[in-house]
Amino acid sequence: MSAVNIAVLVSGGGTNLQALLDSQRVGTLKSGRITLVVSNNADAYALRRAEAAGVAAKAIVRAVFPSQEAFEDALLDALDEAGAELVILAGFLSILSRRFTERYPRRILNIHPSLIPSFCGKGFYGLRVHEAALAYGVKVTGATVHFVNEVPDGGEILLQKAVDVLPGDTPETLQRRVMEQAEWILLPQAAELVSQNIMKEKETNDRSS
Ligand code: GRF
């Protein structure tokens, strides 16, 4: 049975995308194959990373479309065209509507740089998450991979990993530690786990048809 077809949506630097591409290269991500990377920011370095890895990459920019609905339709068309079976949000900064998420029930993953339900939801993205964790004074933070539904950072949790906050941390040092010790490990693990489950479902469906 062929590997699960994965599309990755990005907005920025793409270090989480790189972790996925690297795990595919070394074979720890083996049940899924990244076939498409889409960015909502035409200048995202993540697009260069995709190209360097020989993966199809395209920009679909919200400002070009008259509405969020039209933007999401363009995203859905690109996913359909690529035959995506699993969608991974890797630092994708646009909130997707229910109309979109319902098209891929338990088939969209997101990585969030905190231990949900702390420091998550609308407005908690990028450095803001780590600023909030430091302002609150938590001693442990981390990252969460969860399924995506219409509630920002509200879908079922799949994996979490804790990371220590250290004295003297800045939002930048904390962000880096959370990426290195949690995000770049968890996201490829989650991609393999869900891909394996999708493969099993496909095998069961094949046997019963
Ligand atoms: C990561 O911290 C991710 O968890 C968050 O945005 C950041 C994106 O980083 N949602 P990158 O584009 O993967 O380097």
Side-chain angles (χ1 to χ4, degrees):
M1 175 141 316
S2 58
V4 169
N5 191 333
I6 301 176
V8 184
L9 306 190
V10 296
S11 298
T15 61
N16 280 290
L17 167 68
Q18 192 64 56
L20 290 166
L21 293 168
D22 291 347
S23 68
Q24 181 168 282
R25 184 171 44 79
V26 300
T28 43
L29 172 56
K30 56 180 185 300
S31 306
R33 179 134 214 98
I34 301 163
T35 58
L36 176 68
V37 171
V38 179
S39 174
N40 66 342
N41 163 13
D43 300 324
Y45 186 65
L47 289 171
R48 306 283 92 73
R49 294 180 189 271
E51 284 158 10
V55 175
K58 62 156 64 174
I60 299 180
V61 179
R62 167 69 182 86
V64 170
F65 297 92
S67 63
Q68 177 71 14
E69 208 174 346
F71 165 64
E72 290 186 359
D73 281 343
L75 287 177
L76 287 169
D77 285 349
L79 297 177
D80 278 348
E81 206 178 300
E85 298 172 284
L86 173 62
V87 180
I88 300 181
L89 311 185
F92 184 65
L93 294 181
S94 178
I95 292 176
L96 297 167
S97 72
R98 177 194 293 263
R99 199 173 136 266
F100 186 101
T101 59
E102 278 181 352
R103 281 282 304 278
Y104 290 92
R106 292 173 65 85
R107 291 289 180 269
I108 309 177
L109 290 176
N110 182 44
I111 178 98
H112 182 76
S114 76
L115 294 174
I116 289 175
S118 290
F119 314 119
C120 66
K122 207 164 188 286
F124 285 99
Y125 60 87
L127 274 181
R128 290 181 185 205
V129 179
H130 305 290
E131 282 162 8
L134 289 173
Y136 201 96
V138 294
K139 302 302 173 214
V140 175
T141 183
T144 303
V145 177
H146 62 93
F147 288 112
V148 174
N149 62 13
E150 70 283 2
V151 181
D153 300 325
E156 183 190 333
I157 290 172
L158 187 65
L159 296 175
Q160 287 189 307
K161 192 166 191 294
V163 173
D164 285 338
V165 179
L166 299 181
D169 261 339
T170 63
E172 288 80 8
T173 60
L174 186 56
Q175 178 182 51
R176 184 75 193 177
R177 189 174 318 110
V178 169
M179 284 176 155
E180 285 176 355
Q181 295 185 7
E183 293 182 57
W184 299 341
I185 300 165
L186 280 193
L187 193 59
Q189 271 178 4
E192 176 59 21
L193 192 69
V194 175
S195 296
Q196 279 177 11
N197 288 341
I198 295 174
M199 291 264 259
K200 276 184 213 144
E201 273 179 33
K202 290 204 286 186
E203 277 162 16
T204 313
N205 291 344
D206 272 8
R207 258 184 260 121
S208 57
S209 64

